[in-house]
Each structure stands twice: as structure tokens, then as C-alpha cells.
Amino acid sequence: MNRQERRAAAKQSQKVAPLAVATSQDRAFLAERPDIVDLTERLTDFSDTAALVCRLDLVISVDTSVVHLAGALGAPVWTMLPFSPDWRWLLNRDDSPWYSSMRLFRQPKRGDWASVVDRVRRELEGLVSVWRRHDRASDEAISALALP
């Protein structure tokens, strides 16, 4: 087997079936939301996931391989952590020494995901507001340049 054949075989062995991201109930919900794009079927290996992460404005997730990938790629990522996180997340901080592009959102008490999600929601609303103001200002500047 030559190098090219070995590479093709290795790539093929890395391919996995698409993740079972959604149950039938989840798929029904997603079908009603045209603003949510489910790319599960197109992600066949981790390099596909990396390519997708590089195209996103922000990754928000619990502690998964995807947050580590996003952090390693330098992509903006917010990670939601349980009250007693894995050792690598340390304690009493909202940043990661391992990934400079990552923010940590921690449970204040065991099992309290509601407050974590609420904090992420508030932070995201603020971030989206800034993005929208920036987009409007850019649109206005372009329009002003286009005037005779």
C-alpha cells in the first residue's frame, strides 16, 4: 500500500456515522425552526468539525471535545461547567489558562444549570446587541460613502 492509499484508508477509518444529535422530538423542533441549521449529517470526522468551528462567531457548550477543539483553534468559546468540574478547569476563575479564547460559566451550586444558562443568555444578548450596533454603523458608513 503506497502513502496515498494509506492516507485514504486512514481518513476512511476516521469517518464515523453522524452523531445522533437529535431524537425524533428534537428533529421535530428543529424542523419548526428555520433559523437553526442542523449540520449533523455533514460532519463526518473531526476535521469537518474543526472547519465548522472556524466559521462560527461563537461556540457555546458544556465540557466536550468541541470546546477543546474550539479553544485549541483560538475560536471564541463559552464553556458551561458543573459545580465540581474536571481538574483542568481549576476553581474560582472564569477564564482558562489553556485556551485564551475561552470563557467559563460555572454552576454556583450542584445541579443549578438554570442559572448558568440564564447567565449565558444575558451575556449573549449583550454580545449580539454589540454586533448589531456594529453592523448598523458599518451599513451607515457604507451608505454615506455611496452618496454622491
Side-chain angles (χ1 to χ4, degrees):
M1 189 180 293
N2 67 31
R3 184 176 177 188
Q4 186 175 11
E5 291 169 332
R6 283 194 307 274
R7 185 177 292 152
K11 180 134 175 100
Q12 187 62 34
S13 69
Q14 292 173 354
K15 291 192 176 200
V16 295
L19 298 174
V21 161
T23 64
S24 59
Q25 183 180 8
D26 294 333
R27 291 220 184 267
F29 171 80
L30 290 171
E32 296 172 7
R33 298 291 307 265
D35 57 324
I36 298 176
V37 179
D38 181 5
L39 298 173
T40 305
E41 300 295 325
R42 295 185 182 188
L43 301 177
T44 60
D45 60 31
F46 218 44
S47 64
D48 291 340
T49 305
L52 176 60
V53 164
C54 288
R55 302 287 300 165
L56 299 175
D57 295 315
L58 175 64
V59 173
I60 301 174
S61 179
V62 294
D63 183 8
T64 65
S65 60
V66 175
V67 300
H68 291 276
L69 177 63
L73 292 169
V77 56
W78 293 358
T79 305
M80 298 181 287
L81 297 174
F83 180 73
S84 296
D86 191 59
W87 65 269
R88 73 178 56 98
W89 302 119
L90 308 174
L91 298 172
N92 305 316
R93 60 189 302 159
D94 64 0
D95 66 333
S96 167
W98 322 116
Y99 309 118
S100 62
S101 64
M102 183 178 288
R103 285 187 61 190
L104 304 176
F105 293 81
R106 299 171 180 274
Q107 283 184 341
K109 61 184 179 185
R110 189 175 307 280
D112 183 8
W113 285 111
S115 68
V116 175
V117 171
D118 188 54
R119 182 169 169 229
V120 167
R121 180 190 53 78
R122 287 191 318 265
E123 294 284 332
L124 184 59
E125 286 172 347
L127 187 58
V128 168
S129 176
V130 169
W131 286 341
R132 286 182 178 155
R133 279 195 309 270
H134 181 269
D135 286 348
R136 277 194 301 271
S138 294
D139 290 346
E140 290 169 4
I142 290 169
S143 294
L145 291 172
L147 293 175

